[in-house]
Amino acid sequence: MTSPSGRRAAVRALTCRGISERRACQILGLSRHVSSYALRQPGKDQALGIRLMDATQDVPRFGYRRMAAWLDVGEARVRRLWRSLGLHQPRKRPRRRRSGCDMRLPGAVRPNSVWSYDFVHDQFVDGRVLKMLCVLDEHTRECLAIVPASRLRSQDVILTLSRLMRLYGKPEHIRSDNGAEFTARSVMRWLRDEAIGPAFIAPGKPWQNGFVESFNGKLRDELLNREWFRTLAEAKVLIEAWRQFYNERRPHSALGYRPPATVRREWSDTDNITPRLTA
C-alpha cells in the first residue's frame, strides 16, 4: 500500500473475493481513480525497450550507463528498464591496490603529450599466431593504430610510429614495457634522433601502463573474444572497423561518455594542440 501499484494490487485482492470495486476502495480508503487509472509509462517504455534489446545485440558488452549514453536516454530510465527486461549485468571486476610508483608523466594533459603502445596476441582459426601493435594517445584515449600481423619486429614499430607522426604530429613521450621490440637499439636510436623521450615501466608492473592495458582489455572483450579470423586480410578489415567504431562512436566513461575522436576535434577547434611535425 506504499506505492500506486501496491494499492491497485490490494483492490484486486478484495475484488477477487467477491467485493465490488466501489466497496473495496471504501474499505481501503482509496479513490476509485487508483484502480481505474490506465498506466501510460509501459507504453512509453515499450519503444525504448525494443531499442535496448536491439542495441544489446550490436554492443553486448555495454552496461546500462554506457548504453544510456549510446542511446542518448536518461541513465535512471535505462537502469529501470535494464532490470525489468532482465538484461545481462556485466560482472564487476575487483580493483586491486597496487604498490609502486606512478609512471604517468606530469605533462599528459593534452593530445600528443604521451603515447602508449603495447602488443596484443591472438590466433587464427587454424591456430596460427596473430600479433597486434596497439598505439594509444593517453590524453584523448584515442586508438591511433592497430597493426595486425603474423610477425612484428622492431622495424615494424618504427614504420608504424613514423606513419602516425605524419598523420597526428610528434609526441613528446612514448610509454611502453621493456619488450625486446621496444628496447631494441634501432628503436632507441630512432627515438633519440626524433627527440622523443621513451618512458619505460618497471618490469613486471603492467598497471603502470594502465591506459593501453585498459584499451587492450576492451579490444579483447569486445572484438577478439567475439570474432574468429580465418585470414590476415579478414583480421585487418574487422580490426580496423572496430578501431573506427572505438574512436568515432563508442562512449568513453573517462571522457564524459564522449568518443575519443570528439575530444581531439575539440582541441583542434580551439587551437590548443599544435602538432610537432617531423622533419
Side-chain angles (χ1 to χ4, degrees):
M1 295 282 295
T2 59
S3 64
S5 59
R7 299 184 187 100
R8 284 190 293 270
V11 172
R12 287 195 300 269
L14 292 179
T15 55
C16 290
R17 297 183 179 184
I19 301 176
S20 66
E21 181 180 306
R22 182 190 299 272
R23 180 56 180 163
C25 291
Q26 290 177 351
I27 294 173
L28 297 175
L30 300 177
S31 171
R32 293 189 63 187
H33 293 290
V34 173
S35 58
S36 61
Y37 180 76
L39 298 178
R40 300 177 183 178
Q41 194 61 37
K44 298 178 181 178
D45 291 340
Q46 183 177 4
L48 179 57
I50 295 174
R51 291 178 60 194
L52 273 177
M53 298 298 293
D54 293 339
T56 53
Q57 300 299 318
D58 299 329
V59 284
R61 294 304 303 167
F62 280 14
Y64 74 87
R65 290 187 178 91
R66 203 180 308 276
M67 188 65 72
W70 176 257
L71 298 178
D72 194 18
V73 183
E75 183 177 307
R77 187 181 179 190
V78 172
R79 181 175 65 249
R80 176 172 53 80
L81 285 177
W82 198 268
R83 293 176 178 175
S84 64
L85 294 174
L87 296 177
H88 171 67
Q89 297 286 342
R91 181 175 58 89
K92 292 185 177 180
R93 301 174 182 175
R95 294 182 178 270
R96 300 180 180 178
R97 188 178 300 277
R98 300 295 188 179
S99 61
C101 58
D102 188 356
M103 294 296 293
R104 285 178 290 184
L105 299 174
V109 293
R110 59 181 180 82
N112 287 353
S113 56
V114 181
W115 288 2
S116 300
Y117 56 174
D118 195 11
F119 286 110
V120 177
H121 296 81
D122 201 57
Q123 63 180 10
F124 294 98
V125 175
D126 55 6
R128 290 178 297 147
V129 175
L130 176 62
K131 194 174 184 179
M132 290 159 280
L133 173 63
C134 303
V135 186
L136 194 75
D137 189 307
E138 289 194 359
H139 179 74
T140 63
R141 309 300 204 275
E142 186 176 12
C143 178
L144 305 180
I146 304 178
V147 182
S150 299
R151 184 180 180 185
L152 290 170
R153 297 170 295 181
S154 58
Q155 188 63 29
D156 299 313
V157 174
I158 295 176
L159 292 176
T160 299
L161 293 179
S162 300
R163 175 176 62 86
L164 293 179
M165 287 192 295
R166 288 194 295 270
L167 294 174
Y168 299 100
K170 185 184 297 185
E172 298 174 5
H173 297 85
I174 297 183
R175 190 195 319 281
S176 70
D177 56 25
N178 295 270
E181 300 87 349
F182 303 138
T183 59
R185 291 184 179 179
S186 57
V187 175
M188 299 301 296
R189 187 184 309 111
W190 182 82
L191 292 176
R192 181 192 59 195
D193 295 341
E194 295 291 337
I196 300 175
F200 296 109
I201 66 174
K205 296 183 178 180
W207 56 89
Q208 293 181 350
N209 199 9
F211 293 101
V212 74
E213 291 291 343
S214 176
F215 171 80
N216 293 345
K218 295 180 178 67
L219 172 64
R220 186 168 300 280
D221 197 28
E222 299 180 9
L223 177 66
L224 301 183
N225 290 345
R226 298 183 61 198
E227 299 287 351
W228 278 14
F229 305 123
R230 292 170 294 183
T231 63
L232 181 59
E234 181 183 25
K236 289 181 177 180
V237 171
L238 293 176
I239 290 173
E240 179 60 23
W242 184 86
R243 188 186 73 89
Q244 295 293 335
F245 164 78
Y246 176 87
N247 288 335
E248 299 290 342
R249 300 177 58 195
R250 186 184 186 277
H252 202 296
S253 58
L255 304 175
Y257 290 102
R258 294 175 298 168
T262 301
V263 178
R264 179 176 288 273
R265 283 193 291 267
E266 290 175 355
W267 276 82
S268 301
D269 293 341
T270 56
D271 295 329
N272 285 330
I273 176 174
T274 303
R276 300 171 59 203
L277 298 178
T278 58

